Amino acid sequence: FPLKGRLAFSGSFNGRSALYVLDLSKGAVTAPGADTEERSWPAFSPDGEWIAFSQGREGHRGIGIMRSDGSGMREVVPADVNSDNPAWSPDGRTLVFYRETQGKASESNLFTAAPFEKSTFRQMTYFSGRNTTPHWSPGSDNIAFSTDRFWPGWDVCIWHKDQQSEECPLRGMITYCRPRFDHSGQRLLYSSGPFEKVDLFIRTMTSGSDNRV
């Protein structure tokens, strides 16, 4: 979702993925940071001052952060395996991301890291299968993510960090994937459908109703 009139995104040109920021009021696109590595999955911090992102080549992707103008770049998680899709906590002090198990590309779990502290990243979930694309709900410790544990199809679950428990509100034969909370935390945007017919939907969490975007 846009933050303070800006939208961070990644684009691939000449076979290389890079980060860009679109100023919605001006229609201007900038490319923060030096183009030295492939970068994707950008996410603004809640105050709009920092951008978290994935960097590196497939199979060896880490997590980094930089200021919104491209300065202050630093590594948060090393690129020893695939670590991807960082998302900020509501207070802007923690990142959640998914990370593959060493030597097992078909297994990944959710991890957290404190990008402004000298601390290592920590594993948060210990599920089987692939558990990916986490997104933190504003104002709570609920983290939505995608999982393929209940195959066939992907499903959307929510990890309640404070309670150390899980619920899966979007689960079934049809794939549900890539959840994103809105700014209120009361609605969840997600994709659903077979690969050739994917649509976007919004789930109202209080009523459980779904509307196609």
Side-chain angles (χ1 to χ4, degrees), residues 130 132 146-148 151-156 170 172 174-177:
R130 290 186 291 173
T132 66
S146 309
T147 181
D148 70 351
W151 195 263
W154 285 78
D155 302 287
V156 168
L170 294 165
I174 299 176
T175 283
Y176 305 98
C177 200

Side-chain angles (χ1 to χ4, degrees), residues 85-137:
N85 204 155
W88 295 87
S89 61
D91 62 8
R93 297 174 60 186
T94 306
L95 290 172
V96 63
F97 58 96
Y98 77 86
R99 180 175 169 85
E100 290 181 355
T101 301
Q102 186 78 42
K104 294 182 179 180
S106 62
E107 183 177 285
S108 58
N109 267 285
L110 307 188
F111 287 71
T112 59
F116 305 114
E117 300 176 10
K118 293 182 179 180
S119 60
T120 58
F121 53 92
R122 297 180 178 181
Q123 188 165 348
M124 184 165 57
T125 63
Y126 292 83
F127 298 126
S128 60
R130 290 186 291 173
N131 303 275
T132 66
T133 65
H135 192 254
W136 218 308
S137 172

Side-chain angles (χ1 to χ4, degrees), residues 26-130:
K26 301 177 181 178
V29 176
T30 58
D35 186 19
T36 56
E37 289 193 68
E38 290 204 23
R39 298 190 177 98
S40 58
W41 291 108
F44 272 115
S45 60
D47 62 7
E49 296 298 318
W50 294 85
I51 299 175
F53 53 87
S54 304
Q55 63 181 359
R57 68 185 188 278
E58 183 62 30
H60 294 83
R61 296 176 60 78
I63 304 295
I65 61 171
M66 63 180 169
R67 294 189 182 277
S68 58
D69 63 1
S71 64
M73 190 173 298
R74 68 184 73 171
E75 180 183 83
V76 178
V77 179
D80 51 347
V81 297
N82 274 339
S83 297
D84 249 323
N85 204 155
W88 295 87
S89 61
D91 62 8
R93 297 174 60 186
T94 306
L95 290 172
V96 63
F97 58 96
Y98 77 86
R99 180 175 169 85
E100 290 181 355
T101 301
Q102 186 78 42
K104 294 182 179 180
S106 62
E107 183 177 285
S108 58
N109 267 285
L110 307 188
F111 287 71
T112 59
F116 305 114
E117 300 176 10
K118 293 182 179 180
S119 60
T120 58
F121 53 92
R122 297 180 178 181
Q123 188 165 348
M124 184 165 57
T125 63
Y126 292 83
F127 298 126
S128 60
R130 290 186 291 173

